[in-house]
Amino acid sequence: ARPKVGYFYSGKSLLSVMGSFIKNMSVMEVKSKPVIVSEENTVYDSIVTMFLEDTGNIYVQNKGYLSGIVSRKDFIKVTLGNHDIKNLPVAMIMTRMPNIVYVESNESVYDAAVKIIHHEIDSLPVVEKIVLDDKSENMKIIGKISKTTITKVMVRIGNE
Amino acid sequence: ARPKVGYFYSGKSLLSVMGSFIKNMSVMEVKSKPVIVSEENTVYDSIVTMFLEDTGNIYVQNKGYLSGIVSRKDFIKVTLGNHDIKNLPVAMIMTRMPNIVYVESNESVYDAAVKIIHHEIDSLPVVEKIVLDDKSENMKIIGKISKTTITKVMVRIGNE
């Protein structure tokens, strides 16, 4: 596929058109499948899951809602620390709310990329907020956007 | 910045123009600074370096040339294995040639993204090949392209 003859862009206007394009691409179009464990899962089992699924971040759930995130860095710290990781629940080492950075379904690939770079993280859960009868706000995990997802978008654009 | 009025693209032609753009963007324009250690460095010191520099991959050099790559996954495996990581040289656990995937200075951001996704890796050293008097080919590390670099390119495009 080649650009149509007769089109001409200054670098500036092409970039702004490209900018609009990725600001209009929804996270819902490109999200990947998250790997989820429950809070009671041990650190050891979570590490095994991380290798089997070849993922950098695992999301943790409590009663069906997002409660934490663990990364490869968290796992390195805890394995260095001589802990009994076969009995240590992943909930002991995970990052919890309000420190979890996430995106909602109405956000764009650009919004996700900005959050990943700004917060220096590898992935964001895509969540749907649910307000329960007791007015508490909970987050259902519906996907994942990572640096891998963004890199795949770049490959997809280049393949056209 | 907004697209100029009067331009119209079918999804297809816009994508192909965007595709050409990232195929023409050189890795040299966007490469980041690599973190490099020597083969004699211990695994423990390399892990400390990884945390201090907040990087996912460390490149290993021997006599000034690329000889290996270590990742967070490699570190998790070795820390799980009860090794004496304060005495174990990083050369014992690194990935070596010919299994190192790299890019050269004439390659594009698109080429780099394709290699990262195809080989399921987090980063690529940007190298300059040097043929020595004995005809051996060696690689000088001149930069790094990672999923973070690609995500930053996406943010830069969106900011225009």
Coordinates of all heavy atoms in Angstrom, one line a residue, chain A residues 63-148:
Chain A
K63 N -12.6 -10.6 45.4 CA -14.1 -10.7 45.2 C -14.5 -10.2 43.8 O -15.5 -9.5 43.6 CB -14.9 -9.9 46.2 CG -14.7 -10.5 47.6 CD -15.4 -9.7 48.7 CE -15.0 -10.2 50.1 NZ -14.8 -9.1 51.1
G64 N -13.7 -10.5 42.8 CA -14.0 -10.2 41.4 C -13.6 -8.8 40.9 O -13.9 -8.4 39.8
Y65 N -13.0 -8.0 41.9 CA -12.6 -6.6 41.5 C -11.1 -6.4 41.6 O -10.5 -7.0 42.5 CB -13.4 -5.6 42.3 CG -14.9 -5.7 42.1 CD1 -15.8 -6.1 43.1 CD2 -15.5 -5.4 40.9 CE1 -17.1 -6.2 42.9 CE2 -16.8 -5.4 40.6 CZ -17.7 -5.8 41.7 OH -19.0 -5.9 41.5
L66 N -10.6 -5.5 40.8 CA -9.2 -5.2 40.9 C -8.7 -4.7 42.3 O -9.3 -3.8 42.8 CB -8.9 -4.0 39.9 CG -7.5 -3.5 39.8 CD1 -6.5 -4.5 39.3 CD2 -7.4 -2.2 38.9
S67 N -7.7 -5.4 42.8 CA -7.2 -4.9 44.1 C -5.7 -4.6 44.1 O -5.2 -3.9 44.9 CB -7.5 -5.9 45.2 OG -6.8 -7.1 45.0
G68 N -5.0 -5.1 43.1 CA -3.5 -4.9 43.0 C -2.9 -5.3 41.7 O -3.5 -5.9 40.8
I69 N -1.6 -4.9 41.6 CA -0.8 -5.2 40.5 C 0.6 -5.6 41.0 O 1.1 -5.0 41.9 CB -0.6 -3.9 39.5 CG1 -1.9 -3.5 39.0 CG2 0.5 -4.2 38.4 CD1 -1.8 -2.4 37.9
V70 N 1.2 -6.7 40.4 CA 2.6 -7.0 40.7 C 3.4 -7.1 39.4 O 2.9 -7.5 38.4 CB 2.7 -8.4 41.4 CG1 2.6 -8.3 42.9 CG2 1.8 -9.5 40.9
S71 N 4.6 -6.7 39.5 CA 5.5 -6.6 38.4 C 6.7 -7.5 38.6 O 7.0 -8.0 39.7 CB 6.0 -5.2 38.2 OG 6.8 -4.8 39.3
R72 N 7.5 -7.7 37.5 CA 8.8 -8.4 37.6 C 9.7 -7.8 38.6 O 10.4 -8.5 39.3 CB 9.5 -8.5 36.2 CG 8.7 -9.4 35.3 CD 9.4 -9.5 33.9 NE 8.6 -10.2 33.0 CZ 8.7 -10.2 31.7 NH1 9.6 -9.4 31.1 NH2 7.9 -10.9 30.9
K73 N 9.7 -6.5 38.7 CA 10.5 -5.8 39.7 C 10.1 -6.2 41.1 O 11.0 -6.5 42.0 CB 10.4 -4.3 39.6 CG 11.4 -3.7 38.5 CD 11.0 -2.3 38.1 CE 11.3 -1.3 39.1 NZ 11.0 0.1 38.6
D74 N 8.8 -6.3 41.4 CA 8.4 -6.7 42.7 C 8.9 -8.1 43.0 O 9.3 -8.4 44.2 CB 6.8 -6.7 42.8 CG 6.2 -5.3 42.6 OD1 6.8 -4.3 43.1 OD2 5.2 -5.2 41.9
F75 N 8.8 -9.0 42.0 CA 9.2 -10.4 42.2 C 10.7 -10.5 42.5 O 11.2 -11.2 43.3 CB 8.9 -11.2 41.0 CG 7.4 -11.5 40.9 CD1 6.8 -11.5 39.6 CD2 6.6 -11.8 42.0 CE1 5.4 -11.8 39.5 CE2 5.2 -12.0 41.9 CZ 4.6 -12.0 40.6
I76 N 11.5 -9.7 41.8 CA 13.0 -9.7 42.0 C 13.3 -9.3 43.5 O 14.0 -9.9 44.2 CB 13.7 -8.8 41.0 CG1 13.6 -9.3 39.6 CG2 15.2 -8.7 41.4 CD1 14.2 -8.4 38.5
K77 N 12.6 -8.2 43.9 CA 12.9 -7.7 45.3 C 12.5 -8.7 46.3 O 13.3 -9.0 47.2 CB 12.0 -6.5 45.5 CG 12.5 -5.2 45.0 CD 11.7 -4.0 45.4 CE 11.5 -3.0 44.3 NZ 10.4 -2.0 44.6
V78 N 11.4 -9.4 46.1 CA 11.0 -10.4 47.2 C 11.9 -11.7 47.1 O 12.2 -12.2 48.1 CB 9.5 -10.7 47.1 CG1 9.1 -11.5 45.9 CG2 9.0 -11.3 48.4
T79 N 12.3 -12.1 45.9 CA 13.1 -13.3 45.8 C 14.5 -13.0 46.4 O 15.1 -13.9 47.0 CB 13.2 -13.9 44.4 OG1 13.6 -12.8 43.5 CG2 11.9 -14.5 44.0
L80 N 15.0 -11.8 46.2 CA 16.3 -11.4 46.8 C 16.2 -11.4 48.3 O 17.2 -11.6 49.0 CB 16.6 -10.0 46.4 CG 17.4 -9.8 45.1 CD1 17.6 -8.3 44.9 CD2 18.7 -10.5 45.1
G81 N 15.0 -11.1 48.9 CA 14.9 -10.9 50.3 C 14.8 -12.1 51.2 O 14.5 -12.0 52.4
N82 N 15.0 -13.3 50.6 CA 15.0 -14.5 51.4 C 13.7 -14.8 52.1 O 13.6 -15.3 53.2 CB 16.1 -14.6 52.5 CG 17.4 -14.9 51.9 OD1 17.5 -15.7 51.0 ND2 18.4 -14.2 52.3
H83 N 12.6 -14.4 51.5 CA 11.3 -14.7 52.1 C 10.8 -16.1 51.7 O 11.3 -16.7 50.8 CB 10.2 -13.7 51.5 CG 10.6 -12.3 51.9 ND1 10.4 -11.8 53.2 CD2 11.1 -11.2 51.2 CE1 10.7 -10.5 53.2 NE2 11.2 -10.1 52.0
D84 N 9.9 -16.6 52.5 CA 9.3 -17.9 52.2 C 8.2 -17.7 51.1 O 7.0 -17.7 51.5 CB 8.7 -18.5 53.5 CG 8.1 -19.8 53.2 OD1 8.3 -20.4 52.1 OD2 7.4 -20.3 54.2
I85 N 8.6 -17.6 49.9 CA 7.7 -17.2 48.8 C 6.6 -18.2 48.5 O 5.7 -17.9 47.8 CB 8.4 -16.7 47.5 CG1 9.2 -17.8 46.9 CG2 9.3 -15.5 47.8 CD1 9.7 -17.5 45.5
K86 N 6.8 -19.5 49.0 CA 5.8 -20.5 48.7 C 4.7 -20.3 49.7 O 3.6 -21.0 49.5 CB 6.4 -21.9 48.8 CG 7.3 -22.1 47.6 CD 7.7 -23.6 47.4 CE 8.6 -23.6 46.1 NZ 9.2 -24.9 45.9
N87 N 4.8 -19.5 50.8 CA 3.7 -19.3 51.7 C 3.3 -17.8 51.7 O 2.3 -17.5 52.4 CB 4.1 -19.8 53.1 CG 4.1 -21.3 53.2 OD1 3.1 -21.9 52.9 ND2 5.3 -21.8 53.6
L88 N 4.0 -17.0 51.1 CA 3.7 -15.5 51.1 C 2.6 -15.2 50.1 O 2.8 -15.4 48.9 CB 5.0 -14.8 50.8 CG 5.0 -13.3 51.0 CD1 5.0 -12.9 52.5 CD2 6.3 -12.7 50.4
P89 N 1.5 -14.7 50.5 CA 0.4 -14.3 49.5 C 0.9 -13.1 48.7 O 1.5 -12.2 49.2 CB -0.8 -13.9 50.4 CG -0.5 -14.3 51.8 CD 1.0 -14.4 51.9
V90 N 0.5 -13.1 47.5 CA 0.9 -12.0 46.5 C 0.4 -10.7 47.0 O 1.0 -9.6 46.8 CB 0.4 -12.4 45.1 CG1 -1.1 -12.2 44.9 CG2 1.2 -11.5 44.1
A91 N -0.7 -10.7 47.8 CA -1.3 -9.5 48.4 C -0.3 -8.7 49.3 O -0.4 -7.5 49.5 CB -2.6 -9.8 49.2
M92 N 0.7 -9.4 49.8 CA 1.7 -8.8 50.7 C 2.7 -8.0 49.9 O 3.4 -7.1 50.5 CB 2.5 -9.9 51.4 CG 1.7 -10.7 52.4 SD 1.3 -9.8 53.9 CE 2.9 -9.7 54.6
I93 N 2.8 -8.2 48.6 CA 3.9 -7.4 47.9 C 3.3 -6.6 46.8 O 4.0 -5.8 46.1 CB 5.0 -8.4 47.3 CG1 4.4 -9.3 46.2 CG2 5.6 -9.2 48.4 CD1 5.4 -9.8 45.2
M94 N 2.0 -6.7 46.5 CA 1.4 -6.0 45.3 C 1.3 -4.5 45.6 O 1.3 -4.0 46.7 CB 0.1 -6.6 45.0 CG -1.0 -6.3 46.0 SD -2.5 -7.2 45.6 CE -3.7 -6.4 46.8
T95 N 1.2 -3.7 44.5 CA 0.8 -2.3 44.6 C -0.7 -2.2 44.7 O -1.4 -2.9 43.9 CB 1.3 -1.6 43.3 OG1 2.7 -1.7 43.2 CG2 0.9 -0.1 43.3
R96 N -1.2 -1.4 45.6 CA -2.7 -1.3 45.8 C -3.2 0.0 45.4 O -2.5 1.0 45.2 CB -3.0 -1.4 47.3 CG -2.6 -2.7 47.9 CD -2.8 -2.7 49.5 NE -2.6 -4.0 50.0 CZ -3.6 -5.0 50.0 NH1 -4.8 -4.7 49.6 NH2 -3.3 -6.2 50.5
M97 N -4.6 0.1 45.4 CA -5.2 1.4 45.2 C -4.8 2.2 46.4 O -4.7 1.7 47.5 CB -6.7 1.2 45.1 CG -7.2 0.6 43.8 SD -6.7 1.5 42.4 CE -7.7 3.0 42.5
P98 N -4.7 3.6 46.3 CA -4.9 4.4 45.1 C -3.7 4.5 44.2 O -3.6 5.4 43.4 CB -5.2 5.8 45.8 CG -4.4 5.8 47.0 CD -4.2 4.4 47.5
N99 N -2.7 3.6 44.3 CA -1.5 3.7 43.5 C -1.5 3.0 42.2 O -0.5 2.9 41.5 CB -0.3 3.3 44.4 CG -0.1 4.1 45.6 OD1 -0.2 5.4 45.5 ND2 0.1 3.5 46.7
I100 N -2.7 2.4 41.9 CA -2.8 1.7 40.6 C -3.3 2.7 39.5 O -4.3 3.4 39.7 CB -3.8 0.6 40.7 CG1 -3.4 -0.5 41.8 CG2 -4.0 -0.1 39.3 CD1 -4.4 -1.5 42.0
V101 N -2.5 2.8 38.5 CA -2.9 3.6 37.3 C -3.6 2.8 36.3 O -3.2 1.7 36.0 CB -1.6 4.3 36.7 CG1 -2.0 5.3 35.6 CG2 -0.7 4.9 37.7
Y102 N -4.8 3.3 35.9 CA -5.6 2.4 35.0 C -6.2 3.3 33.8 O -6.0 4.5 33.9 CB -6.8 1.8 35.8 CG -7.6 2.8 36.5 CD1 -8.7 3.5 35.9 CD2 -7.3 3.1 37.9 CE1 -9.4 4.4 36.6 CE2 -8.0 4.1 38.5 CZ -9.1 4.7 37.9 OH -9.8 5.7 38.6
V103 N -6.8 2.7 32.9 CA -7.6 3.4 31.9 C -9.0 2.9 31.8 O -9.2 1.7 32.2 CB -7.0 3.4 30.4 CG1 -5.8 4.3 30.2 CG2 -6.7 1.9 30.0
E104 N -9.9 3.7 31.4 CA -11.3 3.3 31.2 C -11.6 3.1 29.7 O -10.8 3.6 28.9 CB -12.3 4.3 31.9 CG -12.1 4.3 33.4 CD -13.0 5.3 34.1 OE1 -14.2 5.0 34.3 OE2 -12.5 6.3 34.5
S105 N -12.7 2.5 29.4 CA -13.0 2.1 28.0 C -13.1 3.3 27.0 O -12.9 3.1 25.8 CB -14.3 1.3 28.0 OG -15.4 2.1 28.5
N106 N -13.4 4.5 27.6 CA -13.6 5.6 26.7 C -12.3 6.3 26.4 O -12.2 7.4 25.7 CB -14.6 6.6 27.2 CG -14.2 7.2 28.6 OD1 -13.3 6.6 29.2 ND2 -14.7 8.3 29.0
E107 N -11.2 5.8 26.9 CA -9.9 6.5 26.7 C -9.2 6.0 25.4 O -9.5 4.9 24.9 CB -9.0 6.3 27.9 CG -9.6 7.1 29.1 CD -8.7 7.2 30.4 OE1 -7.7 8.0 30.3 OE2 -8.9 6.4 31.3
S108 N -8.2 6.7 24.9 CA -7.6 6.4 23.7 C -6.2 5.7 23.9 O -5.6 5.8 25.0 CB -7.4 7.7 22.8 OG -6.4 8.5 23.4
V109 N -5.7 5.2 22.8 CA -4.3 4.6 22.8 C -3.3 5.7 23.2 O -2.4 5.4 24.0 CB -4.0 4.0 21.4 CG1 -2.5 3.6 21.3 CG2 -4.9 2.8 21.1
Y110 N -3.5 6.9 22.8 CA -2.7 8.0 23.1 C -2.7 8.3 24.6 O -1.7 8.4 25.3 CB -3.1 9.3 22.4 CG -2.4 10.5 22.8 CD1 -1.1 10.8 22.6 CD2 -3.1 11.5 23.6 CE1 -0.4 11.9 23.0 CE2 -2.5 12.6 24.1 CZ -1.2 12.9 23.8 OH -0.5 14.0 24.3
D111 N -3.9 8.3 25.2 CA -4.1 8.5 26.7 C -3.3 7.4 27.4 O -2.6 7.7 28.4 CB -5.6 8.4 27.1 CG -6.5 9.5 26.5 OD1 -6.0 10.6 26.3 OD2 -7.6 9.2 26.2
A112 N -3.4 6.2 26.9 CA -2.7 5.1 27.6 C -1.2 5.3 27.5 O -0.5 5.1 28.5 CB -3.2 3.8 27.0
A113 N -0.7 5.6 26.3 CA 0.7 5.8 26.2 C 1.2 6.9 27.1 O 2.3 6.8 27.7 CB 1.0 6.1 24.7
V114 N 0.5 8.0 27.2 CA 0.9 9.1 28.1 C 1.0 8.7 29.5 O 2.0 9.0 30.2 CB -0.1 10.3 27.9 CG1 0.1 11.3 29.1 CG2 0.0 11.0 26.6
K115 N 0.0 7.9 30.0 CA 0.0 7.4 31.4 C 1.2 6.5 31.6 O 1.8 6.5 32.7 CB -1.3 6.7 31.7 CG -2.5 7.7 31.9 CD -3.7 6.9 32.3 CE -4.9 7.9 32.4 NZ -6.2 7.3 32.8
I116 N 1.5 5.6 30.7 CA 2.6 4.6 30.8 C 3.9 5.4 30.9 O 4.7 5.1 31.8 CB 2.6 3.6 29.6 CG1 1.4 2.6 29.8 CG2 3.9 2.9 29.5 CD1 1.2 1.7 28.6
I117 N 4.1 6.4 30.1 CA 5.4 7.1 30.1 C 5.4 8.0 31.4 O 6.4 8.0 32.1 CB 5.6 8.0 28.8 CG1 5.7 7.0 27.6 CG2 6.8 8.9 29.0 CD1 6.8 6.0 27.7
H118 N 4.3 8.7 31.7 CA 4.3 9.6 32.8 C 4.6 8.9 34.1 O 5.3 9.4 35.0 CB 3.0 10.4 32.8 CG 2.9 11.4 34.0 ND1 3.6 12.6 34.0 CD2 2.2 11.3 35.1 CE1 3.4 13.2 35.1 NE2 2.5 12.5 35.8
H119 N 3.9 7.8 34.3 CA 4.0 7.1 35.6 C 5.2 6.0 35.6 O 5.4 5.3 36.6 CB 2.7 6.4 36.0 CG 1.6 7.4 36.2 ND1 1.4 8.0 37.4 CD2 0.6 7.8 35.4 CE1 0.4 8.9 37.3 NE2 -0.1 8.7 36.1
E120 N 5.9 5.9 34.5 CA 7.0 5.0 34.4 C 6.6 3.6 34.7 O 7.2 2.9 35.6 CB 8.2 5.4 35.2 CG 8.7 6.8 34.8 CD 10.0 7.2 35.5 OE1 10.5 6.5 36.3 OE2 10.5 8.3 35.1
I121 N 5.5 3.1 34.1 CA 5.0 1.7 34.3 C 4.9 1.0 33.0 O 5.1 1.5 32.0 CB 3.6 1.8 35.0 CG1 2.7 2.7 34.2 CG2 3.7 2.2 36.4 CD1 1.3 2.8 34.8
D122 N 4.7 -0.4 33.1 CA 4.8 -1.2 31.9 C 3.4 -1.5 31.4 O 3.3 -1.8 30.2 CB 5.5 -2.5 32.2 CG 7.0 -2.3 32.4 OD1 7.5 -1.5 31.7 OD2 7.6 -3.1 33.2
S123 N 2.4 -1.4 32.2 CA 1.0 -1.7 31.7 C -0.1 -1.1 32.5 O 0.2 -0.6 33.7 CB 0.8 -3.2 31.6 OG 0.3 -3.7 32.9
L124 N -1.2 -1.0 31.9 CA -2.4 -0.4 32.6 C -3.6 -1.4 32.5 O -3.9 -1.8 31.4 CB -2.9 0.9 31.9 CG -1.9 2.0 31.7 CD1 -2.3 2.9 30.6 CD2 -1.8 2.8 33.0
P125 N -4.3 -1.7 33.6 CA -5.5 -2.4 33.4 C -6.6 -1.5 32.8 O -6.7 -0.3 33.1 CB -5.9 -2.8 34.9 CG -5.2 -1.8 35.8 CD -4.0 -1.4 35.0
V126 N -7.4 -2.1 31.9 CA -8.5 -1.4 31.3 C -9.7 -1.8 32.3 O -9.9 -3.0 32.5 CB -8.8 -1.8 29.9 CG1 -10.0 -1.0 29.3 CG2 -7.6 -1.6 29.0
V127 N -10.4 -0.8 32.9 CA -11.4 -1.1 33.9 C -12.7 -0.5 33.6 O -12.8 0.5 32.9 CB -10.9 -0.7 35.3 CG1 -9.6 -1.3 35.7 CG2 -10.9 0.8 35.4
E128 N -13.7 -1.2 34.2 CA -15.1 -0.6 34.1 C -15.4 -0.4 35.6 O -15.4 -1.3 36.4 CB -16.0 -1.7 33.5 CG -17.4 -1.2 33.2 CD -18.3 -2.4 32.8 OE1 -17.7 -3.4 32.2 OE2 -19.5 -2.4 33.0
K129 N -15.8 0.9 35.9 CA -16.1 1.2 37.3 C -17.5 0.8 37.6 O -18.5 1.1 36.8 CB -15.9 2.7 37.5 CG -14.5 3.2 37.6 CD -14.4 4.6 38.0 CE -12.9 5.0 38.1 NZ -12.7 6.4 38.2
I130 N -17.7 0.2 38.8 CA -19.0 -0.3 39.2 C -19.3 0.2 40.6 O -18.5 0.0 41.5 CB -19.1 -1.8 39.2 CG1 -18.9 -2.3 37.7 CG2 -20.3 -2.4 39.8 CD1 -18.9 -3.7 37.5
V131 N -20.4 1.0 40.8 CA -20.8 1.5 42.1 C -21.8 0.5 42.7 O -22.8 0.2 42.1 CB -21.4 2.9 42.0 CG1 -21.8 3.4 43.4 CG2 -20.4 3.9 41.3
L132 N -21.4 0.0 43.9 CA -22.2 -1.0 44.5 C -23.3 -0.3 45.4 O -23.3 0.9 45.5 CB -21.4 -1.9 45.4 CG -20.3 -2.7 44.7 CD1 -19.5 -3.6 45.7 CD2 -20.8 -3.5 43.6
D133 N -24.2 -1.1 45.9 CA -25.4 -0.6 46.7 C -24.9 0.3 47.9 O -25.5 1.3 48.3 CB -26.2 -1.7 47.3 CG -27.0 -2.4 46.2 OD1 -27.1 -1.8 45.1 OD2 -27.5 -3.5 46.4
D134 N -23.7 -0.1 48.5 CA -23.2 0.6 49.6 C -22.4 1.9 49.2 O -21.6 2.4 50.0 CB -22.3 -0.3 50.5 CG -21.1 -0.8 49.8 OD1 -20.9 -0.4 48.6 OD2 -20.3 -1.5 50.4
K135 N -22.5 2.2 47.9 CA -21.9 3.4 47.3 C -20.4 3.2 47.1 O -19.7 4.2 46.6 CB -22.1 4.7 48.1 CG -23.5 5.0 48.5 CD -24.3 5.6 47.4 CE -25.7 6.0 47.8 NZ -26.7 5.6 46.8
S136 N -19.8 2.1 47.4 CA -18.4 1.9 47.2 C -18.1 1.7 45.7 O -18.9 1.1 45.0 CB -17.9 0.7 48.0 OG -18.4 -0.5 47.4
E137 N -17.0 2.3 45.2 CA -16.7 2.2 43.8 C -15.7 1.0 43.6 O -14.7 0.9 44.3 CB -16.0 3.5 43.4 CG -16.0 3.6 41.9 CD -15.3 5.0 41.5 OE1 -14.0 5.1 41.7 OE2 -16.0 5.9 41.0
N138 N -16.0 0.1 42.7 CA -15.1 -1.0 42.4 C -14.8 -1.1 41.0 O -15.5 -0.5 40.1 CB -15.9 -2.3 42.8 CG -16.0 -2.4 44.3 OD1 -15.0 -2.9 45.0 ND2 -17.1 -1.9 44.9
M139 N -13.7 -1.8 40.6 CA -13.3 -1.8 39.3 C -13.2 -3.2 38.7 O -12.4 -4.1 39.3 CB -11.9 -1.1 39.1 CG -12.1 0.4 39.4 SD -10.8 1.4 38.9 CE -9.7 1.0 40.2
K140 N -13.9 -3.5 37.7 CA -13.9 -4.8 37.0 C -12.8 -4.7 35.9 O -12.7 -3.7 35.2 CB -15.3 -5.0 36.3 CG -15.7 -6.4 36.3 CD -17.2 -6.5 35.9 CE -17.4 -7.5 34.8 NZ -16.9 -8.8 35.0
I141 N -11.9 -5.7 35.9 CA -10.8 -5.7 34.9 C -11.4 -6.2 33.6 O -11.9 -7.3 33.5 CB -9.7 -6.6 35.4 CG1 -9.2 -6.2 36.8 CG2 -8.5 -6.5 34.4 CD1 -8.3 -7.3 37.4
I142 N -11.3 -5.4 32.5 CA -11.8 -5.8 31.2 C -10.8 -5.9 30.2 O -11.0 -6.3 29.0 CB -13.0 -5.0 30.7 CG1 -12.6 -3.5 30.6 CG2 -14.2 -5.1 31.6 CD1 -13.7 -2.6 30.0
G143 N -9.5 -5.6 30.5 CA -8.5 -5.7 29.5 C -7.2 -5.2 30.1 O -7.0 -4.9 31.3
K144 N -6.2 -5.1 29.2 CA -4.9 -4.6 29.5 C -4.3 -3.9 28.4 O -4.4 -4.3 27.2 CB -4.0 -5.8 29.9 CG -2.6 -5.6 30.1 CD -1.9 -6.9 30.4 CE -0.4 -6.7 30.4 NZ 0.4 -8.0 30.7
I145 N -3.6 -2.8 28.6 CA -2.8 -2.1 27.6 C -1.4 -2.0 28.1 O -1.2 -1.5 29.2 CB -3.3 -0.6 27.4 CG1 -4.8 -0.6 27.0 CG2 -2.4 0.1 26.4 CD1 -5.0 -0.9 25.5
S146 N -0.4 -2.5 27.4 CA 0.9 -2.5 27.8 C 1.8 -1.8 26.7 O 1.3 -1.5 25.7 CB 1.4 -3.9 28.0 OG 1.4 -4.6 26.8
K147 N 3.1 -1.7 27.1 CA 4.0 -1.2 26.0 C 4.1 -2.1 24.8 O 4.3 -1.7 23.7 CB 5.4 -1.1 26.6 CG 5.6 0.1 27.6 CD 7.0 0.0 28.3 CE 7.1 1.0 29.4 NZ 8.3 0.8 30.2
T148 N 3.8 -3.4 25.1 CA 3.8 -4.4 24.0 C 2.6 -4.1 23.1 O 2.7 -4.1 21.9 CB 3.6 -5.8 24.6 OG1 4.6 -6.1 25.5 CG2 3.7 -6.9 23.4

